Amino acid sequence: MSKPEFVYTTYIKSTPEKVWEAIVNPEFAAQYWGGLGIVSDLKKGSKWRLVDTKDESIVKCIGEVVESTPPERLTLTWADPSNEADVSRVTFEIGLSGDLVRLDVIHGDFKPGSDMLEKISGGWPLVLSSLKSLLETGKSIDVLSVKGGSCGSSQPLKEAKAG
Amino acid sequence: MVTDEENVFKALADKSRRQLLDQLREKNGLSLGELCEGHDMSRQAVTKHLVLLEAANLVVAVKRGREKLHYLNPVPINDIYMRWIGKFEQDRVQTLHNLKEALKENDHE
């Protein structure tokens, strides 16, 4: 694996099991991920989709499960369904740091000239802040649905592609 | 403690540390050596600043072989942003920001 392009980290007052559940349970994820959630059986080699949980025909992101080790590590290949060749790789790492949970999101292995790079910068920090807020206070910050929310991005896909 | 908001503000209050963050915004995943290039801070000074930036969780260091690579982590800044800017203000704040940026660009022409 080439060196990652992005490493995002947040510390959450929670347990690794709850953080894992927050990532893989689409109904829970929808609360902080602007209505989106990951749908998959999470077996190695299985497909996964990031969908609008109210209408699963709206697919924002797709890929395959590379590794799934609850509640420590989930690695996915990551692509926009309209451009499947532009695939990258996302790893969620969950660990303990004192009495806090440390969650790392590592996004890398981009294809040369990938436009995913542009799409995701700005997206993950929003998702992680919202996740932290929901787990710690029970309140999510529903900023993502305002912006449309796409493949790890805070902007609608058509806007992210323009220019 | 790593989550302490005080640490974030303290880390951001220094121009050299903001410059290091700018450098990582430009090119993410730099080694200490690469971070030392391009300005006249000593290696020790950069190391000291990085310790504070890491404590504030604004920089995340990843070990890669013998090297440590440094990544800009804007999540704590986003946490602060979300604390004071709500769902309904966001678009208006963004509009003002865009206006300001557009005016700045016009100035340069």
Side-chain angles (χ1 to χ4, degrees):
Chain A
M1 190 174 164
S2 61
K3 92 174 187 192
E5 297 291 339
F6 296 100
V7 181
Y8 297 120
T9 300
T10 190
Y11 293 85
I12 308 172
K13 288 187 201 85
S14 189
T15 64
E17 290 75 18
K18 280 185 189 160
V19 174
W20 176 270
E21 187 65 13
I23 295 165
V24 301
N25 179 332
E27 285 76 38
F28 190 91
Q31 296 174 67
Y32 68 85
W33 207 333
L36 306 179
I38 289 173
V39 176
S40 173
D41 67 8
L42 292 179
K43 291 195 181 107
K44 192 178 170 179
S46 288
K47 303 266 185 211
W48 67 270
R49 295 172 297 145
L50 180 69
V51 300
D52 184 331
T53 53
K54 290 213 178 83
D55 177 1
E56 291 195 11
S57 68
I58 301 171
V59 181
K60 300 286 189 178
C61 224
I62 53 166
E64 276 178 23
V65 178
V66 180
E67 184 191 337
S68 173
T69 312
E72 287 163 22
R73 185 180 296 110
L74 177 66
T75 300
L76 307 168
T77 65
W78 193 274
D80 184 330
S82 68
N83 188 7
E84 284 188 52
D86 187 6
V87 65
S88 51
R89 182 184 284 235
V90 172
T91 298
F92 298 87
E93 270 188 13
I94 302 167
L96 283 169
S97 173
D99 52 0
L100 297 172
V101 175
R102 174 180 167 147
L103 170 64
D104 291 293
V105 174
I106 301 150
H107 202 149
D109 275 5
F110 291 93
K111 299 279 181 230
S114 168
D115 67 354
M116 185 66 77
L117 266 158
E118 220 174 289
K119 278 188 230 163
I120 65 139
S121 51
W124 282 120
L126 264 175
V127 174
L128 294 183
S129 288
S130 188
L131 165 61
K132 175 183 164 73
S133 172
L134 182 60
L135 283 174
E136 289 186 351
T137 68
K139 274 186 272 178
S140 69
I141 305 157
D142 193 19
V143 288
L144 291 161
S145 59
V146 176
K147 288 286 178 188
S150 64
C151 203
S153 161
S154 57
Q155 288 174 4
L157 281 177
K158 55 180 182 340
E159 266 182 43
K161 272 184 180 165
Chain B
M1 191 60 233
V2 271
T3 52
D4 200 343
E5 216 170 66
E6 293 279 322
N7 283 347
V8 178
F9 286 111
K10 195 180 153 199
L12 289 173
D14 180 273
K15 195 179 169 191
S16 304
R17 288 196 286 275
R18 292 197 298 274
Q19 275 172 356
L20 289 170
L21 295 179
D22 285 337
Q23 223 176 321
L24 292 176
R25 173 105 181 102
E26 200 67 33
K27 195 166 186 288
N28 222 349
L30 296 178
S31 66
L32 177 61
E34 288 169 319
L35 273 168
C36 289
E37 286 166 19
H39 43 73
D40 46 13
M41 262 186 279
S42 69
R43 210 177 162 90
Q44 287 87 336
V46 173
T47 306
K48 228 175 88 188
H49 286 311
L50 284 175
V51 168
L52 279 164
L53 287 167
E54 282 182 53
N57 194 26
L58 290 167
V59 166
V60 178
V62 175
K63 276 207 191 92
R64 197 167 173 86
R66 282 186 305 173
E67 266 187 334
K68 233 171 113 179
L69 303 178
H70 301 83
Y71 289 86
L72 173 64
N73 183 40
V75 180
I77 299 173
N78 204 81
D79 293 341
I80 292 167
Y81 172 86
M82 284 181 148
R83 178 166 153 189
W84 283 298
I85 300 175
K87 178 173 172 176
F88 299 105
E89 288 124 319
Q90 201 187 28
D91 280 352
R92 277 170 272 165
V93 172
Q94 184 67 42
T95 306
L96 283 177
H97 172 79
N98 292 348
L99 173 65
K100 201 176 141 188
E101 290 299 308
L103 290 172
K104 252 195 241 167
E105 274 168 33
N106 278 346
D107 269 359
H108 293 311
E109 276 168 16

